[in-house]
Amino acid sequence: MRKQFVKTENYSRFVAGIQAVEQRGAAEAGMMLVHGAPGFGKSHIVGHWAAEASAVFLRANVDWTPKYFLVELARALRVDPTGTAQQLFSRLLERVVETQTPIVIDEAEFSLHQNAAALEKVRDLSDRAEVTVVLIGMERIQQSIARHKQLSSRIAQVVEFVPSTLADVEQACRQLAEVGMTPALVAEVHRISGGRMREVLNVIAAVERIAAINGQSTLDVSDLEGAALSYDWQTRTAKAVKATRGR
């Protein structure tokens, strides 16, 4: 499978959200929330943007504290991580103001422990440095953040990631698959994956394995009828290609 970045509709909506945050009126409202179910490409898409924007990408942990966040940010920015939390915050603030480095916090739910103490520290840094902060979380994180008015008032944009469209899957198959796939088979990839881009990639890899075994360069639904291309771990059932109509 080719290693390329696929610009899906979720990507386009995310980029539009980033542009809106960067053009905001209130300087302190520099936070953006990205949320959605697992497998919709949140971390992958935001990570791609972070690399292009030279942003710092951090992943919150279950035991995150304000100091823990500051130390991880310092290491990412190559700032001396020693000293008190106040001393560390001052050094980081100086560096972030100087570089205007955006900050991404993945699995942001873990920053909400202890009355959102870690996220409050993120907010404080964002307020003072006036930099963009992107928070990535699961479906219910918006409701959780809404309980903290000081935080929710700083969120300028919210982007919900949704299942990939058939057009997204068509583009992914065209860009990534090293075998030809008919429109009917692409539609099956979309159905089997449920629009989860993570699963789309796994299904494409499965199709490529079957093609290699059979020595085929192009596949149709008829070549894969009944073949299990994925697995539903909740129902413990295989996700197989359905028979073509009329058979």
Side-chain angles (χ1 to χ4, degrees), residues 6-10 12 163-176 183 186-187 189-191 193 195 197 200 204:
V6 180
K7 294 183 178 181
T8 62
E9 291 187 17
N10 280 329
S12 299
S164 297
T165 64
L166 177 58
D168 289 334
V169 176
E170 287 173 343
Q171 186 169 342
C173 292
R174 185 168 56 252
Q175 283 186 224
L176 305 179
V186 170
V189 174
H190 181 249
R191 182 192 67 80
S193 67
M197 190 53 67
V200 169
I204 290 174

Side-chain angles (χ1 to χ4, degrees), residues 24 27 30-31 96-97 100-103 125-127 129-133:
R24 64 190 181 274
M31 301 178 80
V96 174
V97 167
Q100 284 297 291
T101 303
I103 300 170
L125 188 64
S126 174
D127 278 3
E130 298 182 1
V131 295
T132 298
V133 172

Side-chain angles (χ1 to χ4, degrees), residues 9 15 19 48 67 73 78 92 95 103 107 120 126 134 144 163 187 192 206 211 213 233 243-244:
E9 291 187 17
V15 170
Q19 292 172 346
H48 177 82
K67 181 68 178 289
L73 181 60
R78 298 182 180 179
L92 284 168
R95 176 63 62 84
I103 300 170
E107 303 204 23
E120 284 286 4
S126 174
V134 180
S144 299
I192 290 171
I213 291 171
W233 297 103
T244 40

Side-chain angles (χ1 to χ4, degrees), residues 134-149:
V134 180
L135 307 174
I136 309 173
M138 302 292 284
E139 304 101 310
R140 297 179 181 177
I141 190 172
Q142 187 172 5
Q143 295 94 315
S144 299
I145 292 177
R147 301 189 188 105
H148 305 275
K149 301 303 181 184

Side-chain angles (χ1 to χ4, degrees), residues 2-50:
R2 302 185 188 96
K3 300 297 182 182
Q4 295 183 16
F5 181 75
V6 180
K7 294 183 178 181
T8 62
E9 291 187 17
N10 280 329
Y11 169 80
S12 299
R13 292 167 52 249
F14 168 75
V15 170
I18 283 290
Q19 292 172 346
V21 172
E22 291 174 344
Q23 297 167 6
R24 64 190 181 274
E28 72 275 9
M31 301 178 80
M32 175 178 177
L33 177 63
V34 173
H35 69 97
F40 288 168
K42 301 183 299 296
S43 298
H44 179 67
I45 287 174
V46 180
H48 177 82
W49 168 81

